[in-house]
């Protein structure tokens, strides 16, 4: 009955495609098509009423590379990622280890840590705006108690980016902690007891057993943190608007400015393509290189 | 088996909200002995072992190891190793690293580490598996890795919590022998938790039978078998366990009479007890007849070879006088019967006075 087998195989294939369709439609509409369209746009000149768009090849990219603001923004974003990612992950891990141990009011501690995550980024931005405001902001008031001079955290180029980093870390650490907490709870308690009996100190147990077992989680969080370091810019709108003199401007904010403030869609598209390429390369590196050295249970 | 006590528990209690755990347990484990802690599920065996290991701290009482008070000391100071029921192997480490873990954290010299590793690997037949992760091992192999990890520590005391319960029956037999061999070769003091009485009986020098968080009876396997202190002990030990008959049916009201299955036989003439065969189990070398009688429980008659009995048949049983063990009907404790000749060999451990109290009062200990 070869016909029947072939028929059944085809039925399976159709079944499979039917199951894939919804995801495929969504992804195509909201991810694949926009990506291709962006790539396409980035290859054309900006159309004005007098001069229609025309194919210009890589000219938009060239223009971008000649733009000092682009380089400043890229540098800002690298610093922003380089500061927020390791600190928020380390903080998340520390908080998770603490909130997972036998402490009084454990669920209160967990909730407290998680609260920033529940707040919308805009609300968090407003909250921190109040902290940072010179004169009557909380930071200044505390500073004044110790006789420190008033600091305009958001208003000077030297501190603006760091102030923005602090908000992001505050916001993300609690979120990542949840993943670590979940992962910690899957580690069987007898591993700890076995390590204790073998004479391992708390630190030795954490370093040799817990951290390696948390590697998959760390990898997952790392990917998320990297994406967020590009994606999470809501608070910029509230806090600094990229200022002063672009000191706290990040790539996505600059893309937004190009597209919707300067109406330079091709420049925004070119930048978007570059960002996508970098993120894609990072993701590939993580999944193919680090992943192979990570223990999955 | 008569060495100095290596591990001593003195009136140790550990309970959660007044429930569970163990209460008022005293115990002396001789050096170099193989001691089993036996009992039904939930009777506090694991709790007792964890108290000895230091993973659990007692509410009251004192734990001594090698003559030193260890009650307040952490597990790592107690000089013992432990094999967990789940094996507790580190899933991300290879067999080699699992075995070396303890020596690494204790900063043992490299040369010594390697020598001990090689020795343990050879001893437990783990050659060729050193590079594998635990997930890539069979249950029996994991078991042996856990044993190897305990052995390389070189501690004279090894605690095991139902180490064989995840293995199939056949493997269990072979690993059981391995454990016993290892214990002998290394002169280890082993405290071994199990709920399987066959395991406890066949391995141990001494069995600690537990019930509801307290020690019911301590003694050699032989003493437990021949001289149970209560109906609980009688019905827990032996396969099949002791049959219990109400004394009234045998002319001894107020008592319970226990008999080992091997002492029951079909009556030749006038039966002591007549019951109905309700199940016939053919075991190969013997046939078990499960006999129903309103005044008895656990009446199982073992007849050699294949016996031609069918369910529903009436059967007359002979219950030899000399093998009857008497228990108090109220307390379930063994009682000494003046009319009975127990024979010198039966009295191996003298039951404590409270155990043979014949007064019909409900036990509160
Ligand atoms: N951490 C705990 N909190 C509360 N009750 C507990 C705890 N640990 C044990 N118990 C209780 O103490 C009693 C004895 O538990 P234990 O684990 O010692 O039993 P066990 O004899 O080892 O049983 P099993 O053969 O099933 O392993 C049980 O009733 C259990 O519910
Ligand atoms: Mg247990």
């Amino acid at each position: 009955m070869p016909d029947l087998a072939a028929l059944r195989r085809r039925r399976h294939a159709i079944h499979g495609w039917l199951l894939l369709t919804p995801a495929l439609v969504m992804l195509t509409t909201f991810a694949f098509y926009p990506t291709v369209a962006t790539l396409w746009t980035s290859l054309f000149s900006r159309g004005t009423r007098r001069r229609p768009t025309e194919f210009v090849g890589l000219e938009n990219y060239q223009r971008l590379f000649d733009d000092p603001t682009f380089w400043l923004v890229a540098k800002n974003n690298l610093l922003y990622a380089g500061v927020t990612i390791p600190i928020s992950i380390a903080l998340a891990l520390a908080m998770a280890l603490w909130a997972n141990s036998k402490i009084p009011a454990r669920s209160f501690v967990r909730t407290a840590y998680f609260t920033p995550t529940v707040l919308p980024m805009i609300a968090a931005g407003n909250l921190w705006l109040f902290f940072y405001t010179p004169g009557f902001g909380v930071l200044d008031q505390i500073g004044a108690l110790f006789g420190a001079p008033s600091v305009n955290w958001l208003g000077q180029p030297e501190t603006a980016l760091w102030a923005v980093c602090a908000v992001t870390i505050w916001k993300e650490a609690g979120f990542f902690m949840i993943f670590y907490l979940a992962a910690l709870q899957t580690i069987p308690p007898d591993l700890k007891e076995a390590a204790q009996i073998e004479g391992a100190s708390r630190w030795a147990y954490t370093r040799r057993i817990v951290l390696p077992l948390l590697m998959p989680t760390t990898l997952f969080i790392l990917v998320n943190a990297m994406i967020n370091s590009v994606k999470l810019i809501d608070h910029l709108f509230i806090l600094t608007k990229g200022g002063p003199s672009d000191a706290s401007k990040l790539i996505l904010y600059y893309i937004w400015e190009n597209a919707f403030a300067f109406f330079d869609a091709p420049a925004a598209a070119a930048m978007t393509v570059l960002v996508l390429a970098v993120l894609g390369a990072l993701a590939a590196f993580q999944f193919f290189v680090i992943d192979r050295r990570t223990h999955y249970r | 088996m008569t060495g100095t006590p290596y591990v001593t528990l003195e009136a140790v209690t550990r309970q959660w909200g007044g429930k569970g755990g163990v209460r008022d347990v005293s115990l002396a484990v001789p050096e170099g002995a193989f001691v089993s802690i036996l009992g039904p599920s939930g009777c506090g065996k694991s709790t007792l072992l964890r108290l000895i290991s230091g993973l659990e701290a007692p509410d009251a009482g004192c734990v001594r190891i090698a003559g030193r008070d260890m009650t307040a000391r952490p597990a790592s100071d107690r000089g013992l190793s432990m094999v967990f029921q789940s094996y507790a192997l580190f899933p991300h480490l290879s067999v080699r690293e699992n075995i070396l873990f303890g020596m690494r954290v204790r900063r043992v010299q490299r040369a010594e580490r390697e020598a001990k590793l090689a020795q343990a690997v050879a001893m437990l037949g783990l050659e060729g598996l050193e590079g594998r992760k635990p997930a890539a091992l069979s249950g029996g192999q994991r078991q042996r890795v856990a044993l190897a990890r305990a052995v390389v520590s070189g501690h004279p005391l090894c605690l095991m919590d139902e180490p064989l319960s995840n293995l199939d029956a056949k493997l269990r037999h072979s690993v059981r022998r391995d454990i016993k061999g290892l214990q002998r070769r290394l002169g280890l003091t082993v405290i071994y938790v199990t709920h399987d009485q066959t395991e406890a009986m066949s391995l141990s020098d001494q069995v600690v039978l537990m019930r509801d968080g307290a020690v019911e009876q301590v003694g050699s396997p032989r003493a437990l078998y021949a001289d149970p202190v209560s109906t609980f002990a009688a019905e827990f030990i032996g396969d099949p366990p002791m049959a219990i008959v109400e004394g009234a049916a045998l002319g001894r009201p107020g008592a319970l009479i226990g008999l080992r299955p091997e002492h029951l036989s079909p009556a030749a003439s006038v039966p002591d007890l007549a019951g109905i065969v309700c199940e016939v189990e053919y075991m190969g070398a013997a046939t078990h007849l499960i006999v129903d009688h309103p005044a008895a429980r656990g009446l199982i008659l073992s007849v050699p070879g294949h016996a031609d009995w069918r369910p529903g048949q009436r059967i007359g049983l002979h219950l030899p006088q000399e093998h009857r063990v008497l228990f108090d009907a109220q307390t379930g404790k063994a009682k000494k019967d003046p009319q009975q000749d127990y024979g010198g060999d039966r009295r191996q451990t003298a039951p404590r006075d409270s155990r043979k109290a014949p007064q019909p009062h409900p036990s509160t200990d």
Side-chain angles (χ1 to χ4, degrees):
Chain A
M1 295 270 113
D3 286 359
L4 214 69
L7 203 69
R8 182 175 305 158
R9 243 198 327 275
R10 208 161 60 224
R11 275 236 319 265
H12 275 227
I14 292 174
H15 200 158
W17 279 107
L18 279 178
L19 288 174
L20 279 178
T21 305
L24 213 57
V25 168
M26 298 291 274
L27 279 175
T28 308
T29 321
F30 296 112
F32 301 144
Y33 170 71
T35 309
V36 173
T38 306
L39 188 63
W40 189 253
T41 312
S42 74
L43 301 176
F44 286 81
S45 71
R46 175 183 174 187
T48 54
R49 203 168 301 154
R50 224 172 290 165
R51 275 198 314 165
T53 55
E54 57 176 343
F55 184 80
V56 293
L58 298 179
E59 199 179 283
N60 284 320
Y61 293 90
Q62 190 55 52
R63 199 152 55 89
L64 208 56
F65 292 145
D66 293 339
D67 173 9
T69 313
F70 171 74
W71 291 111
L72 176 65
V73 167
K75 199 194 81 195
N76 281 348
N77 217 142
L78 272 182
L79 185 67
Y80 178 75
V83 169
T84 57
I85 294 173
I87 294 185
S88 58
I89 290 183
L91 217 56
L93 183 60
M95 294 189 319
L97 287 174
W98 194 52
N100 195 46
S101 56
K102 286 190 186 112
I103 49 167
R106 190 159 64 161
S107 45
F108 171 77
V109 168
R110 290 181 185 183
T111 317
Y113 283 160
F114 191 60
T115 312
T117 307
V118 189
L119 285 180
M121 200 62 189
I122 298 291
N126 279 313
L127 199 64
W128 279 80
L129 195 59
F130 162 67
F131 291 166
Y132 284 141
T133 311
F136 59 88
V138 172
L139 284 185
D140 259 14
Q141 298 219 3
I142 295 173
L145 286 182
F146 299 98
S150 161
V151 181
N152 187 357
W153 295 100
L154 295 170
Q156 46 192 20
E158 304 84 54
T159 52
L161 188 59
W162 297 98
V164 170
C165 284
V167 180
T168 308
I169 293 168
W170 174 84
K171 181 91 171 89
E172 295 215 288
F175 183 53
F176 296 153
M177 178 198 70
I178 294 297
F179 293 104
Y180 274 130
L181 263 183
L184 281 173
Q185 265 147 37
T186 66
I187 298 180
D190 13 355
L191 293 190
K192 179 169 193 179
E193 296 181 343
Q196 264 174 16
I197 286 191
E198 294 283 347
S201 62
R202 263 249 300 274
W203 165 241
Y205 167 70
T206 306
R207 192 171 71 85
R208 288 176 184 272
I209 310 294
V210 176
L211 293 186
L213 289 178
L214 289 179
M215 256 323 261
T217 314
T218 305
L219 185 69
F220 172 78
I221 291 177
L222 193 63
V223 173
N224 271 282
M226 280 190 175
I227 294 171
N228 278 354
S229 74
V230 173
K231 198 176 77 175
L232 217 60
I233 52 151
D234 310 20
H235 52 322
L236 284 188
F237 288 86
I238 305 291
L239 293 173
T240 63
K241 303 220 173 350
S245 54
D246 295 338
S248 66
K249 195 169 286 179
L250 301 178
I251 290 215
L252 192 55
Y253 192 89
Y254 192 45
I255 293 176
W256 174 84
E257 264 186 352
N258 268 296
F260 301 105
F262 311 151
F263 297 106
D264 189 353
M271 239 185 300
T272 310
V273 170
L274 289 179
V275 168
L276 277 178
V278 170
L279 281 182
L282 274 177
F285 176 74
Q286 281 177 337
F287 280 110
F288 293 114
V289 180
I290 305 182
D291 218 29
R292 206 163 293 164
R293 298 204 275 137
T294 305
H295 166 79
Y296 278 107
R297 262 177 298 174
Chain B
M1 308 322 121
T2 48
T4 47
Y6 189 71
V7 179
T8 319
L9 299 186
E10 286 161 21
V12 168
T13 297
R14 174 72 173 109
Q15 296 194 297
W16 289 272
K19 288 199 293 281
V22 297
R23 66 198 131 78
D24 198 20
V25 168
S26 297
L27 196 66
V29 175
E31 186 160 10
F34 197 115
V35 173
S36 293
I37 300 175
L38 175 67
S41 188
C43 70
K45 307 182 293 292
S46 297
T47 308
L48 193 62
L49 204 68
R50 292 165 58 81
L51 284 166
I52 298 173
S53 71
L55 294 174
E56 200 81 65
D59 301 332
C62 167
V63 178
R64 270 177 214 288
I65 297 175
R68 292 195 301 149
D69 186 350
M70 289 288 184
T71 317
R73 307 291 287 278
S76 52
D77 286 2
R78 298 190 179 200
L80 48 80
S81 52
M82 188 157 171
V83 178
F84 290 78
Q85 182 169 358
S86 58
Y87 312 143
L89 298 178
F90 306 120
H92 61 296
L93 297 180
S94 63
V95 167
R96 184 191 145 79
E97 289 304 314
N98 260 291
I99 298 175
L100 286 178
F101 179 84
M103 290 194 280
R104 275 202 204 285
V105 297
R106 277 180 271 121
R107 301 190 193 291
V108 173
Q109 289 299 309
R110 188 191 175 85
E112 188 187 345
R113 252 179 8 214
E114 295 301 325
K116 282 196 165 167
L117 172 75
Q119 201 185 350
V121 164
M123 203 187 296
L124 286 148
L126 290 168
E127 294 98 341
L129 302 176
E130 292 99 326
R132 297 227 203 134
K133 298 273 174 71
L137 297 176
S138 74
Q141 289 166 337
R142 278 179 218 175
Q143 218 308 322
R144 280 183 285 156
V145 176
L147 279 175
R149 192 170 65 179
V151 165
V152 289
S153 72
H155 294 313
L157 174 62
C158 184
L159 311 179
M160 304 191 186
D161 193 351
E162 309 203 19
L164 307 185
S165 58
N166 289 338
L167 305 183
D168 71 58
K170 203 154 197 172
L171 202 54
R172 212 178 289 186
H173 273 94
S174 78
V175 180
R176 199 152 90 186
R177 245 165 264 139
D178 291 348
I179 291 180
K180 184 73 184 170
L182 216 57
Q183 182 254 344
R184 258 205 219 112
R185 195 148 16 124
L186 302 174
L188 297 176
T189 306
V190 172
I191 303 181
Y192 184 100
V193 163
T194 177
H195 59 250
D196 179 349
Q197 59 92 25
T198 329
E199 221 166 271
M201 300 290 275
S202 60
L203 282 173
S204 332
D205 304 314
Q206 203 180 60
V207 178
V208 178
L209 180 63
M210 292 191 62
R211 173 193 192 179
D212 293 339
V215 173
E216 181 82 357
Q217 185 171 8
V218 181
S220 67
R222 193 177 144 73
L224 255 77
Y225 191 78
D227 195 16
V229 297
S230 63
T231 52
F232 173 81
E235 289 180 290
F236 201 85
I237 306 283
D239 182 27
M242 200 177 247
I244 303 289
V245 185
E246 280 170 27
L250 295 169
R252 285 199 58 99
L256 293 172
I257 292 167
L259 268 142
R260 290 286 170 200
E262 63 270 26
H263 298 139
L264 297 174
S265 56
S269 52
V270 188
D272 296 314
L273 209 63
I276 293 171
V277 177
C278 73
E279 205 80 67
V280 180
E281 289 173 352
Y282 176 59
M283 315 291 286
T287 304
H288 289 171
L289 305 180
I290 297 162
V291 178
D292 210 15
H293 185 278
R297 58 180 192 256
L299 266 185
I300 298 173
L301 182 65
S302 181
V303 286
H306 182 260
D308 194 20
W309 286 93
R310 265 179 303 281
Q313 279 182 297
R314 284 188 71 79
I315 183 169
L317 294 177
H318 174 54
L319 278 52
Q321 279 289 344
E322 68 272 24
H323 290 301
R324 295 184 187 179
V325 183
L326 284 184
F327 300 98
D328 188 284
Q330 257 79 36
T331 61
K333 305 286 180 204
K335 61 180 183 180
K336 191 153 174 74
D337 185 359
Q339 303 166 8
Q340 209 107 52
D341 174 25
Y342 271 37
D345 67 323
R346 294 196 64 252
R347 180 98 8 249
Q348 291 224 343
T349 50
R352 281 185 256 141
D353 283 344
S354 64
R355 298 249 182 254
K356 52 181 177 179
Q359 309 91 304
H361 67 82
S363 160
T364 48
D365 65 354

